[in-house]
Structure formats: structure tokens, C-alpha cells
Amino acid sequence: MMSRRKSTGVTVVLLLASCFSCASSELISYSEYHVGKLRHENLLRQNSFEKIMLSKSGCEPVYRCERASFEGELESRIVNEIHSRYRAFSATFCPGNKNFELLSRRKPVNATTHLSYQYDMCYQLERDTTLRNVFPEVVENEEDIIILLSPEEEPVVGEAAMEIFNQLKIAEGKRIYFEITSDPTIMPRKCEQVETGICLMPGIFGEEGLGLVAFGVITNGEKEDFQELKAHLQKTWVPRFKPGKTERQFGIVRQLKYSPFIIIYSKQKNIYSDLADLKDIALDTRERVDKVDDAVLSLRKEVNENTEGTNAAVLSHISLRTLESLRSSVS
């Protein structure tokens, strides 16, 4: 169902849909929810990683807030304030590696500027569930998740982070909001997009805490870049947000009072990544076989040097049969 809700200078488009991977329980019908159906078909033209992340969502029924249009003095002031903090955002979410993209100053907007904001994944859940049920395949490994709970607490990683992710409950009517990128080196830009989305949400939902249970960024790209970002946050997060620091003004930080900020590395699975995995397995197996070959040659030499005659031949045969069996088990 498409609905439009008007606030001060705000038009919101909400699409009623199930998460896109579950065709058998899809709630969109072409005739009744025409715009929603077109959106579903247009997934083919979206960023491929965004399409994959949407397909990795589970079968929970949701309202999806897809986009919002703003025009007014309040909204333009919010956007300009966010843009003015571009250096602080770069420092917070950029490890300083030259691979990472820093934010730059942008032209200010005014009250007559028409602002259209796209939400990659802003869902309002239609029944009680958990974050793991919404994202059953998005994150699989403990090292692929960072959770920020407050400016006073170190980032949560590893087993503890995965436990929070698996057990986080979402009540009916509550929301989650994630931006999606295929490149962790643009994390400052994506986090600024989350900041913008968070700061504009009161004009859409108008409730304390925005009804958000979780928010954050899902990324793909080079795993080493994600690990570098994680190490950077573990080292600098608490010192950067000491009382009195300008970073305490971030909408992201204010929202932590109500919900965790989660950064996820989600490996993009396709035929190329599958072939790469098979190559790694083949190389690992080859290395183990080579080790067995070396052991076979070493034992044959040792047997030939230390025994003679028939006994030597028997011992050599028995030992080689044993090692050949071992070799076949790893090949």
C-alpha cells in the first residue's frame, strides 16, 4: 500500500512490502500496489550490492519508507549543519588511509531548495521479531560486525557483538534503518547519509527515538578496509566523544540513547566469489598433498638407508601404503 503523509514541508512515500527475497509470501500485487510493484521490478537497475542485500532480507512483513521530500527553513538548516561538520565526520569514520575518501565542503541549501532523500533500507516491522530474523544471511562471521552503543563505551566486536545482533528484539511497529554500500572506503559519506536520514526523520515519524531499534551501514568491498575501519573505531571512538567535543552533536550519537549503531561487513556472494573460494580450497588441498609427498619421500629414503634386503622391502611397502592412504584422504 502506498501512502503519503504530509508534515511541515515534508512528503513521505511509504511502500507496504515483504522483504524481496521471499517471493512466495510477497505482499505486493501489481494491480493494487502498482508503485510498489514497479519498485520491485526496478531492483534490477539498482546498485547490484544493494539488490543483493535486499534479497538477503528475510520474509518479515514490513512497511518500507523509501524516500522523503523536504522543503522548508528547518530542513535546510538541518542539512547545512550536517554539511558543516564534514571534517568531524571524516575524522570519525576515516582511518586516515589514503584509500578512504574524505568528505568535502558543499554548497549550502536554502529554504526554497527541494530536498529529496532516499532511504536504502528503512523498515517498519509489522509483527514482533528479531534483527537476526530480518537479516538471516546478512552477517555470518563474528569478525564482520561492529556495534556502537554509546559515546562512553568502546565499540563492541566479536562474539559479544554477534550475540547482541542475534538477540536484538524488534516489536511490532518499530523500525530499523540501514544504508548500503559496496565500498567501505566511502564510510564517511555513508555515515553522513545515515546522519542526514536520522536528523530528518522527526519530520516523518515525529516520535521520541524515532521508533528505531537499530540503525547503521552494511558494506561489502575489501575485507582489509573494513578491518582497518574497525581498528580505527576501537582506538578513537571514546576519546573523540569526550564531553564538550563537537562530535557529541552528531544525530548518530544522540540516537544511541535509543538504539545501537551497527556497521556490518557482508560478503557479496556471486559466481566470481564462489570461484575464488574454490581456488583457495584447491590451493590449500595442494599444499597438504605436497606435505604428504615430502613425508613419503623422506620415509622411503630413511627406510632404504637403515634396512636391507627383504625386510627393507616389506617395511617400505607397508609404510608407503599407509602414507598413500593419508595422501588420498586430503586430496
Side-chain angles (χ1 to χ4, degrees), residues 184-327:
T185 64
I186 65 167
M187 192 59 66
R189 191 200 317 167
K190 296 307 293 188
C191 288
E192 189 189 54
Q193 287 181 15
V194 173
E195 175 82 356
T196 304
I198 291 290
C199 291
L200 292 177
M201 274 185 184
I204 304 172
F205 302 120
E207 62 179 285
E208 185 179 14
L210 308 175
L212 282 179
V213 175
F215 67 110
V217 180
I218 302 172
T219 184
N220 183 230
E222 295 295 331
K223 182 70 170 286
E224 293 77 10
D225 291 329
F226 174 80
Q227 295 293 356
E228 189 171 354
L229 172 67
K230 180 165 68 173
H232 171 72
L233 290 174
Q234 287 178 287
K235 181 180 179 181
T236 64
W237 179 256
V238 172
R240 187 168 300 281
F241 291 97
K242 288 181 179 178
K245 291 270 191 176
T246 57
E247 286 85 347
R248 303 279 289 205
Q249 301 172 15
F250 288 175
I252 286 175
V253 174
R254 295 195 302 269
Q255 185 60 33
L256 291 177
K257 178 181 176 182
Y258 306 98
S259 48
F261 182 64
I262 304 175
I263 302 175
I264 295 170
Y265 178 83
S266 186
K267 186 174 182 180
Q268 180 175 341
K269 284 288 188 180
N270 54 35
I271 186 171
Y272 301 106
S273 63
D274 290 341
L275 288 173
D277 289 343
L278 287 173
K279 181 179 178 181
D280 290 339
I281 292 171
L283 289 173
D284 180 63
T285 302
R286 181 69 258 176
E287 288 176 1
R288 287 186 288 155
V289 169
D290 288 343
K291 288 179 181 179
V292 172
D293 285 343
D294 292 341
V296 169
L297 293 174
S298 177
L299 183 57
R300 179 180 299 184
K301 182 179 179 181
E302 183 180 347
V303 169
N304 289 337
E305 289 177 351
N306 294 291
T307 59
E308 296 178 356
T310 305
N311 289 340
V314 172
L315 287 172
S316 179
H317 178 72
I318 293 173
S319 300
L320 291 176
R321 284 284 300 275
T322 302
L323 285 170
E324 288 294 344
S325 176
L326 175 62
R327 180 184 179 186

Side-chain angles (χ1 to χ4, degrees), residues 12-15 63-68 119 122-123 204-205:
V12 185
V13 178
L14 297 176
L15 300 179
Y63 280 100
R64 181 182 180 195
C65 176
E66 183 184 12
R67 61 185 177 272
Y119 289 89
C122 183
Y123 293 160
I204 304 172
F205 302 120

Side-chain angles (χ1 to χ4, degrees), residues 48-255:
S48 60
F49 180 65
E50 181 179 339
K51 180 174 66 176
I52 289 171
M53 286 303 98
L54 291 171
S55 72
K56 280 187 173 183
S57 297
C59 297
E60 298 293 337
V62 302
Y63 280 100
R64 181 182 180 195
C65 176
E66 183 184 12
R67 61 185 177 272
S69 297
F70 302 88
E71 187 175 297
E73 183 178 348
L74 174 62
E75 287 75 22
S76 62
R77 187 171 71 248
I78 289 172
V79 171
N80 286 331
E81 286 177 358
I82 292 170
H83 289 175
S84 72
R85 297 196 288 268
Y86 69 96
R87 285 196 180 92
F89 256 92
S90 289
T92 301
F93 297 103
C94 181
N97 185 307
K98 64 181 180 180
N99 292 332
F100 280 74
E101 180 183 311
L102 298 173
L103 293 169
S104 57
R105 184 185 296 277
R106 274 156 291 177
K107 293 181 180 179
V109 299
N110 55 50
T112 60
T113 303
H114 179 76
L115 305 170
S116 182
Y117 188 81
Q118 182 82 28
Y119 289 89
D120 286 348
M121 189 181 285
C122 183
Y123 293 160
Q124 177 175 309
L125 278 299
E126 290 304 291
R127 64 185 179 199
D128 294 349
T129 186
T130 65
L131 190 58
R132 170 56 78 183
N133 286 342
V134 179
F135 295 148
E137 300 178 7
V138 169
V139 59
E140 299 174 359
N141 302 313
E142 294 175 355
E143 67 268 20
D144 295 343
I145 185 168
I146 311 165
I147 298 183
L148 305 170
L149 295 175
S150 84
E152 291 84 18
E153 296 181 62
E154 298 286 347
V156 182
V157 298
E159 183 179 352
M162 188 65 85
E163 184 176 355
I164 292 173
F165 179 86
N166 290 337
Q167 297 182 3
L168 190 61
K169 296 180 179 179
I170 309 172
E172 178 184 348
K174 296 301 182 181
R175 306 178 184 93
I176 60 172
Y177 165 45
F178 285 83
E179 288 295 323
I180 302 170
T181 176
S182 59
D183 184 2
T185 64
I186 65 167
M187 192 59 66
R189 191 200 317 167
K190 296 307 293 188
C191 288
E192 189 189 54
Q193 287 181 15
V194 173
E195 175 82 356
T196 304
I198 291 290
C199 291
L200 292 177
M201 274 185 184
I204 304 172
F205 302 120
E207 62 179 285
E208 185 179 14
L210 308 175
L212 282 179
V213 175
F215 67 110
V217 180
I218 302 172
T219 184
N220 183 230
E222 295 295 331
K223 182 70 170 286
E224 293 77 10
D225 291 329
F226 174 80
Q227 295 293 356
E228 189 171 354
L229 172 67
K230 180 165 68 173
H232 171 72
L233 290 174
Q234 287 178 287
K235 181 180 179 181
T236 64
W237 179 256
V238 172
R240 187 168 300 281
F241 291 97
K242 288 181 179 178
K245 291 270 191 176
T246 57
E247 286 85 347
R248 303 279 289 205
Q249 301 172 15
F250 288 175
I252 286 175
V253 174
R254 295 195 302 269
Q255 185 60 33

